[in-house]
Amino acid sequence: GEDVEQSLFLSVREGDSSVINCTYTDSSSTYLYWYKQEPGAGLQLLTYIFSNMDMKQDQRLTVLLNKKDKHLSLRIADTQTGDSAIYFCAENGGNTGKLIFGQGTTLQVKP
Amino acid sequence: DAGVIQSPRHEVTEMGQEVTLRCKPISGHNSLFWYRQTMMRGLELLIYFNNNVPIDDSGMPEDRFSAKMPNASFSTLKIQPSEPRDSAVYFCASSLVGVSTDTQYFGPGTRLTVL
């Protein structure tokens, strides 16, 4: 069945790069997404990538997609304390409109 | 656009009471999703609607939960009777499925506490 896996926790120092990894199982996904959730708030779309792309860059964010290995990563350059949040990976496998979310990775940024 | 609107933002109730959560999706979106988030179980999809019709309610925990979407601009999630284990943050999300990226836009959530 559909499944999305993420590591649960990542701690980095301010100014370093953060890399959050995700694996998924459904090869029919056309889009893969990264959402950010700050404390007490809903999930906010950070970025998405079309499945026929290998990389997408948006300012400090770089998304890498390895479709063969079904591996997605989010790199945040020059990580700031304001980047501390939970990051969710998701895919739209099956094109039903449903998104399958990972468990979320808590990013802790130390000053 | 105001985004997805949920009310109330916080609800505290006693076990056995009826709870109704409300959601107004983004205008023009054709799909609406109800999620529940807890520390123990993470983010769970409860039910989703397409063009106001329930498509998949397999995530609804039990008969105490029901959801309706009487029109394209309003949905409710009802819990009757409520139990302490229903305490969670409930999110509503909407999207325009089948046209573009299927991106879901989330509301701010309703934090429910059942005593």
Side-chain angles (χ1 to χ4, degrees), chain B residues 8-28:
Chain B
R9 292 294 312 276
H10 301 273
E11 176 82 30
V12 180
T13 191
E14 292 191 344
M15 183 173 66
Q17 295 299 304
E18 178 180 295
V19 174
T20 299
L21 311 182
R22 296 172 176 81
C23 176
K24 177 177 167 53
I26 292 173
S27 177

Side-chain angles (χ1 to χ4, degrees), chain B residues 41-105:
Chain B
R41 299 175 69 94
L43 190 68
E44 301 174 277
L45 176 64
L46 300 178
I47 185 171
Y48 80 94
F49 296 84
N50 183 259
N51 292 322
N52 312 337
V53 175
I55 301 300
D56 183 354
D57 65 354
S58 59
M60 296 285 261
E62 47 198 273
D63 292 345
R64 297 184 298 106
F65 285 68
S66 62
K68 292 182 179 179
M69 191 163 186
N71 57 61
S73 58
F74 184 66
S75 177
T76 59
L77 178 68
K78 188 175 292 187
I79 309 172
Q80 166 63 14
S82 57
E83 295 183 4
R85 60 192 166 122
D86 302 329
S87 296
V89 180
Y90 291 80
F91 290 105
C92 176
S94 72
S95 71
L96 187 57
V97 172
V99 173
S100 182
T101 64
D102 291 352
T103 298
Q104 290 184 16
Y105 296 86

Side-chain angles (χ1 to χ4, degrees), chain A residues 60-110:
Chain A
R60 292 190 297 121
L61 306 179
T62 303
V63 177
L64 295 178
L65 174 60
N66 181 327
K67 201 171 178 183
K68 175 177 168 290
D69 294 338
K70 299 190 185 71
H71 183 266
L72 183 73
S73 68
L74 174 70
R75 178 176 180 268
I76 306 173
D78 186 26
T79 313
Q80 303 297 307
T81 54
D83 295 324
S84 293
I86 304 175
Y87 290 81
F88 290 89
C89 166
E91 50 99 353
N92 73 335
N95 295 311
T96 62
K98 245 171 49 167
L99 298 189
I100 307 302
F101 284 88
Q103 321 91 298
T105 300
T106 298
L107 175 64
Q108 179 190 65
V109 182
K110 296 179 181 178

